[in-house]
Amino acid sequence: MPEPPLSLEALRVQVADGTIDTVVVAITDMQGRLQGKRVDARFFVDEVAEHGTDGCNYLMAVDVDMNTVEGYAISSWDQGYGDLVMTPDFDTLRLTPWQPGTALVLADVGWTDGTSMLESPRQILRRQIERLAEHGWTAYVGTELEFIVFNDTYERAWERGYRGLTPANQYNVDYSILGTSRIEPLLRDIRLGMRGAGLTVESAKGECNPGQHEIAFKYADALTTCDNHVIYKTGAKEIAAQRGAALTFMAKFNEREGNSCHIHLSLRTEDGTPVFAGDGPHGTSPVFDQFVAGQLAGLRELAYFLAPNVNSYKRYQPGSFAPTAVRWGLDNRTCAVRVVGHGAGLRFENRVPGGDVNPYLAVAALIASGLHGVENELEPVPAFSGNAYNGEAERVPTTLREAAELWSASRLARSAFGDAVVDHYANAARVELEAFDAAVTDWERYRNFERT
């Protein structure tokens, strides 16, 4: 494990001399958002650091609008909406340079009796990491988040119903130095802010959709990467807002290219030896072959953890660089699973998730699928070459409804995560689908207001 960006001892010193006056204590909710409290720094070091802090347990049982909804076993009106406990994980303690005088620490979620909340995304990933450790393996992960920047404030975007916004670029700036220069002040602020928060920044580049960009960070162990992911996502929005701009990570903002979140994963033993490299036809090991076979076998059943929203499924269009076929290939961007690198750098990239993904859930799904392949000794599937958008193959689910049905019925999911977790997230999908089915959309108004 890397050293934490800020030690508790260093925090105490900076609180004492007045450098830090606020500590954000945050958990990650089902939607992948940071929720929590801003705590007075002196109170944090005197009380919260040792004992944690509490919050309403509905934080793991509401929809994206924070509505209290029915169907959750862990939290309801009948149970009185009691407390959960946020226990700081000091490996995540860091400064947030874009918020003066502020530090942030992520917390694990538990109950007041000291037990862990199984349904918490961070705890779900921890369990899969423990399963890997039983084999003597550690997962290393990198996530690649894309976003679209608009020259509008978040408040103006809301007032306009998110219509008629002005993208920060007017044309495709994929790899364009000039295109990224146009908004380099914002991109630089984000990069330097994340560096100051302890993330290792690699690069920034333009993407295809007007105003679309990507900032890449160095891989780390699975939990650290997911922690960094949610901190970056929140921080990028905060920094954009400070500059009078808005950015979105939603999977499909318009009919052009969506925002992806490709996830790279490799395994190492306790002494750092690569697990995927071997003497196979493509320099792969038998574990790699089984792990990738597991990715394909589990992709449809666990797709809900990779694509959690109605909008997520709008990305999966032929020729969009978002996958439609459940195939794997060597450096083939038309496949759902792309294998890249060699030797110690050999890894697979799952191209299904969009920018709206909850990283803890997605990475947990990739580990669970891989272990399913290894523990059941699944036969390797030949790599696909050519255009995976064409031909006969199983397909990535095309709607949230299809993915939710597959998730609820999945033996793999129930074996890996347990019935409580599967039923909890099945209810989340049900709630989202009911809200979607009841909504009257702009598309309906446009087609039906006058012409029917």
Side-chain angles (χ1 to χ4, degrees):
M1 291 288 294
E3 291 296 316
L6 180 67
S7 69
L8 181 57
E9 292 72 21
L11 176 69
R12 293 184 190 278
V13 171
Q14 295 189 52
V15 171
D17 67 19
T19 303
I20 295 176
D21 54 61
T22 303
V23 178
V24 175
V25 182
I27 63 174
T28 304
D29 68 6
M30 293 191 297
Q31 289 80 19
R33 305 172 298 182
L34 293 186
Q35 308 280 25
K37 302 178 178 179
R38 283 181 165 82
V39 179
D40 181 87
R42 292 185 183 275
F43 185 75
F44 179 86
V45 296
D46 291 342
E47 299 288 342
V48 175
E50 182 177 356
H51 303 294
T53 188
D54 55 19
C56 180
N57 64 29
Y58 89 152
L59 289 173
M60 289 296 168
V62 290
D63 67 7
V64 73
D65 280 329
M66 303 299 289
N67 293 314
T68 52
V69 293
E70 296 181 352
Y72 289 110
I74 67 168
S75 181
S76 68
W77 289 113
D78 289 338
Q79 297 175 65
Y81 284 115
D83 279 346
L84 54 75
V85 178
M86 307 177 195
T87 301
D89 178 349
F90 290 106
D91 286 337
T92 71
L93 182 64
R94 69 197 66 218
L95 298 174
T96 52
W98 60 92
Q99 299 286 4
T102 301
L104 177 146
V105 66
L106 298 182
D108 286 313
V109 184
W111 297 106
T112 54
D113 65 2
T115 58
S116 179
M117 182 184 287
L118 300 177
E119 296 81 0
S120 163
R122 204 164 188 261
Q123 272 53 58
I124 290 171
L125 176 57
R126 279 191 183 277
R127 173 61 189 129
Q128 299 310 306
I129 292 172
E130 291 168 359
R131 292 183 64 209
L132 274 180
E134 293 169 5
H135 291 266
W137 301 332
T138 298
Y140 286 83
V141 171
T143 61
E144 300 176 330
L145 273 168
E146 296 173 350
F147 55 87
I148 300 175
V149 182
F150 297 95
N151 294 329
D152 303 90
T153 66
Y154 279 107
E155 291 76 15
R156 179 167 173 77
W158 170 276
E159 291 167 358
R160 300 194 66 171
Y162 303 101
R163 296 183 294 273
L165 306 184
T166 303
N169 301 95
Q170 285 66 50
Y171 52 86
N172 182 331
V173 296
D174 195 23
Y175 290 98
S176 168
I177 298 302
L178 175 61
T180 51
S181 297
R182 296 274 291 276
I183 65 164
E184 170 60 6
L186 171 59
L187 298 178
R188 182 172 182 269
D189 279 355
I190 295 173
R191 294 197 309 272
L192 295 183
M194 295 308 121
R195 182 204 289 176
L199 282 70
T200 302
V201 182
E202 288 190 357
S203 61
K205 66 177 288 292
E207 292 288 345
C208 300
N209 204 333
Q212 189 177 45
H213 296 263
E214 174 186 291
I215 299 175
F217 300 88
K218 188 176 181 180
Y219 69 89
D221 67 276
L223 187 63
T224 297
T225 288
C226 292
D227 290 341
N228 289 344
H229 177 118
V230 294
I231 290 168
Y232 159 58
K233 200 170 180 180
T234 297
K237 292 177 184 178
E238 292 175 345
I239 293 167
Q242 291 169 1
R243 281 190 163 270
L247 58 84
T248 182
F249 292 94
M250 69 180 292
K252 190 78 167 176
F253 176 75
N254 54 24
E255 287 72 27
R256 294 195 53 160
E257 294 82 5
N259 288 321
S260 66
C261 177
H262 304 144
I263 300 178
H264 294 246
L265 188 148
S266 64
L267 299 180
R268 297 181 191 172
T269 62
E270 293 179 0
D271 65 2
T273 303
V275 174
F276 284 169
D279 299 325
H282 308 297
T284 62
S285 68
V287 170
F288 171 88
D289 294 339
Q290 293 171 350
F291 211 88
V292 169
Q295 299 305 306
L296 302 185
L299 193 150
R300 282 176 50 80
E301 294 179 38
L302 305 189
Y304 175 60
F305 266 15
L306 307 178
N309 299 303
V310 170
N311 180 257
S312 308
Y313 297 84
K314 305 293 179 69
R315 283 181 59 242
Y316 309 132
Q317 304 296 328
S320 66
F321 286 101
T324 60
V326 182
R327 294 187 184 276
W328 79 275
L330 298 168
D331 197 12
N332 187 337
R333 285 182 168 88
T334 70
C335 295
V337 177
R338 171 180 172 244
V339 173
V340 291
H342 56 85
L346 182 68
R347 63 198 184 276
F348 69 83
E349 171 195 63
N350 191 303
R351 298 178 61 81
V352 173
D356 59 343
V357 74
N358 184 323
Y360 301 95
L361 302 182
V363 174
L366 301 192
I367 294 173
S369 294
L371 288 175
H372 172 72
V374 171
E375 292 170 354
N376 291 279
E377 299 182 344
L378 297 188
E379 290 293 324
V381 179
F384 180 81
S385 60
N387 185 354
Y389 291 115
N390 298 331
E392 296 296 324
E394 280 195 307
R395 295 287 150 179
V396 175
T398 57
T399 65
L400 177 60
R401 183 168 281 105
E402 180 185 2
E405 291 171 353
L406 289 164
W407 168 260
S408 294
S410 173
R411 292 183 179 178
L412 192 166
R414 293 186 181 277
S415 173
F417 306 119
D419 289 340
V421 168
V422 173
D423 293 343
H424 186 86
Y425 284 89
N427 191 66
R430 177 192 64 80
V431 167
E432 191 73 2
L433 285 165
E434 287 181 356
F436 175 71
D437 290 341
V440 178
T441 66
D442 286 349
W443 183 86
E444 292 169 284
R445 292 188 186 97
Y446 179 78
R447 294 176 76 85
N448 301 136
F449 187 91
E450 177 181 346
R451 292 180 283 183
T452 57

